[in-house]
């Protein structure tokens, strides 16, 4: 039996879900085992011709992820509960970095408990051991790591030790949620395209060193801008310069103060970060050919944000 209309190296009779990636394009194949011995073999990937199945019927180990159409990998997976995602996914492990009260951290953590985000907060990292976010993490039984080392103190981890600790927790994504320290190059290189930050303005405006907290909102109001809102972006070696992944927009009202604008933006932050965390854990990030990351809609796979 011959495969028909090969696309991406696979028969069109097999369900595939192409995901564009600028540096490492890959697509995913989900196959249901068959007793038939009439198999097609393509570079180590076994193809069952004219297979008909329901996506929800996959066993937990029949998940194949083919990178560059050459490699086959197998991994443990669990079904995403009530998410509408038509494939099986391993629950992702998250590390959240905070410097203050950690309201975005709390929103993300609560979303993991509710099942909105198919992941778990495995560890919290902070530069302030007694901040509100760290206290809340301890109350929830989440391990807390101090980074960087405090001056004149033996407490805290070095860059190398931090990378090792996060790898020991099998971290998939790092989410900065009000973390005010510059992320070291060692960490950026150890977790490529896996570190994200939320900034309280519509980048690239009102971003960079010195723009944080209430200072951002004062600058927005002073500029006369009519709109503001949070930006979630990939983290590189500089402040607020990584690729933008998502933004939320709120109006700047005529009688706004920096405090009232900050409160409005913060509410949008909580919503936006949970949406992005859910997309990350459901593997819905798609890279456009020009290197711009997009989020594939869960409701409509042909729509991107």
């Amino acid at each position: 039996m011959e495969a028909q209309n090969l696309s991406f190296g696979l028969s069109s009779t097999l369900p595939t879900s192409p995901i564009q990636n600028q540096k490492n394009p890959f697509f995913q194949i989900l196959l249901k085992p068959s007793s038939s011995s009439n198999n097609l073999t393509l570079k180590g990937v076994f193809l069952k011709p004219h297979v008909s199945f329901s996506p929800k019927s996959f066993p937990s180990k029949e998940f194949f992820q083919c990178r560059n159409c050459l490699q086959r990998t197998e991994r443990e997976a669990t079904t995403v509960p009530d998410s509408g995602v038509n494939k099986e996914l391993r629950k992702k492990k998250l590390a959240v970095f905070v410097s203050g009260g950690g309201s975005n951290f709390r929103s993300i953590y609560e979303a993991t408990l509710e099942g909105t985000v198919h992941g778990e907060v495995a560890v919290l990292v902070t530069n302030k051991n007694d901040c509100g976010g760290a206290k809340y993490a301890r109350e929830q039984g989440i391990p807390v790591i101090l980074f960087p080392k405090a001056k004149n103190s033996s407490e805290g981890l070095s860059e190398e030790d931090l990378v090792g600790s996060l790898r020991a927790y099998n971290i998939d994504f790092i989410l900065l949620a009000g973390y005010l320290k510059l992320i070291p190059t060692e960490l950026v290189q150890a977790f490529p395209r896996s570190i994200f930050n939320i900034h309280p303005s519509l980048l690239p405006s009102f971003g960079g060193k010195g723009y944080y907290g209430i200072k951002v909102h004062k600058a927005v109001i002073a500029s006369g801008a009519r709109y503001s809102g949070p930006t979630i972006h990939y983290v590189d070696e500089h402040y607020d310069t990584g690729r933008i992944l998502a933004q939320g927009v709120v109006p700047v009202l005529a009688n706004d103060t920096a405090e009232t604008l900050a409160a409005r933006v913060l509410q949008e932050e909580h919503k936006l970060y949970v949406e992005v965390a859910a997309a990350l854990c459901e593997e819905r990030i798609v890279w456009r050919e020009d290197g711009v990351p997009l989020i594939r809609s869960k409701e409509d796979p042909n729509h991107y944000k």
Side-chain angles (χ1 to χ4, degrees):
M1 183 178 294
E2 295 182 356
Q4 303 174 3
N5 299 328
L6 292 179
S7 176
F8 293 94
L10 291 177
S11 168
S12 62
T13 60
L14 295 174
T16 65
S17 176
I19 302 177
Q20 301 298 323
N21 185 309
Q22 183 186 28
K23 293 187 177 180
N24 191 15
F26 67 90
F27 54 87
Q28 299 176 334
I29 313 160
L30 297 173
L31 302 179
K32 180 179 179 181
S34 171
S35 58
S36 170
S37 60
N38 187 13
N39 298 334
L40 292 177
T41 303
L42 176 61
K43 295 187 183 299
V45 179
F46 295 97
L47 308 182
K48 313 288 184 181
H50 306 287
V51 175
S52 175
F53 58 92
S54 168
K56 294 183 179 179
S57 63
F58 298 133
S60 63
K61 280 198 173 184
E62 293 303 318
F63 174 80
F64 295 85
Q65 187 181 65
C66 301
R67 297 185 179 276
N68 298 324
C69 308
L70 295 177
Q71 301 175 352
R72 185 189 73 176
T73 61
E74 184 180 88
R75 67 206 306 191
E76 292 289 342
T78 57
T79 302
V80 179
D82 301 323
S83 67
V85 180
N86 292 326
K87 63 178 178 178
E88 294 181 348
L89 294 172
R90 173 179 59 83
K91 183 175 284 190
K92 303 301 189 293
K93 291 192 175 184
L94 311 174
V96 183
F97 286 42
V98 303
S99 291
S103 64
N104 275 307
F105 156 54
R106 296 185 190 210
S107 295
I108 294 167
Y109 174 69
E110 290 170 0
T112 64
L113 297 182
E114 296 166 357
T116 307
V117 173
H118 189 60
E120 62 175 300
V121 178
V123 64
L124 181 127
V125 177
T126 182
N127 62 311
K128 297 181 179 180
N129 221 3
D130 59 349
C131 70
K135 291 178 180 178
Y136 180 78
R138 294 189 185 96
E139 291 172 358
Q140 308 308 314
I142 300 172
V144 175
I145 292 176
L146 181 63
F147 175 83
K149 278 188 175 182
K151 293 182 178 179
N152 304 320
S153 174
S154 59
E155 294 184 357
L157 299 184
S158 65
E159 289 85 352
E160 182 179 352
D161 290 338
L162 177 63
V163 170
S165 294
L166 295 178
R167 284 176 172 166
Y169 281 108
N170 296 314
I171 295 302
D172 294 290
F173 300 112
I174 296 171
L175 308 179
L176 310 186
Y179 185 72
L180 302 181
K181 293 290 186 180
L182 185 65
I183 298 301
T185 301
E186 294 87 343
L187 191 60
V188 174
Q189 294 177 348
F191 291 88
R193 286 186 174 179
S194 300
I195 309 177
F196 303 84
N197 180 52
I198 189 163
H199 183 78
S201 75
L202 295 173
L203 292 176
S205 298
F206 311 105
K209 188 174 182 179
Y211 278 102
Y212 61 89
I214 203 68
K215 294 181 179 181
V216 172
H217 307 296
K218 287 181 178 180
V220 170
I221 292 174
S223 74
R226 298 312 196 255
Y227 295 94
S228 188
T231 298
I232 294 177
H233 63 92
Y234 284 82
V235 172
D236 55 20
E237 292 85 353
H238 308 285
Y239 285 109
D240 305 326
T241 57
R243 285 287 191 178
I244 293 172
L245 178 59
Q247 292 182 312
V249 178
V250 302
V252 180
L253 305 181
N255 60 345
D256 260 337
T257 64
E259 290 73 20
T260 58
L261 178 58
R264 192 177 306 117
V265 171
L266 185 61
Q267 291 301 312
E268 187 66 21
E269 287 183 31
H270 294 164
K271 176 184 174 182
L272 187 66
Y273 224 160
V274 168
E275 291 177 355
V276 169
L280 290 170
C281 292
E282 293 169 9
E283 300 177 5
R284 291 190 283 111
I285 307 304
V286 177
W287 288 85
R288 211 166 62 187
E289 290 183 359
D290 59 357
V292 172
L294 304 172
I295 297 176
R296 189 175 67 244
S297 170
K298 182 165 58 177
E299 292 76 19
D300 180 5
N302 294 317
H303 179 69
Y304 299 88
K305 300 178 182 178

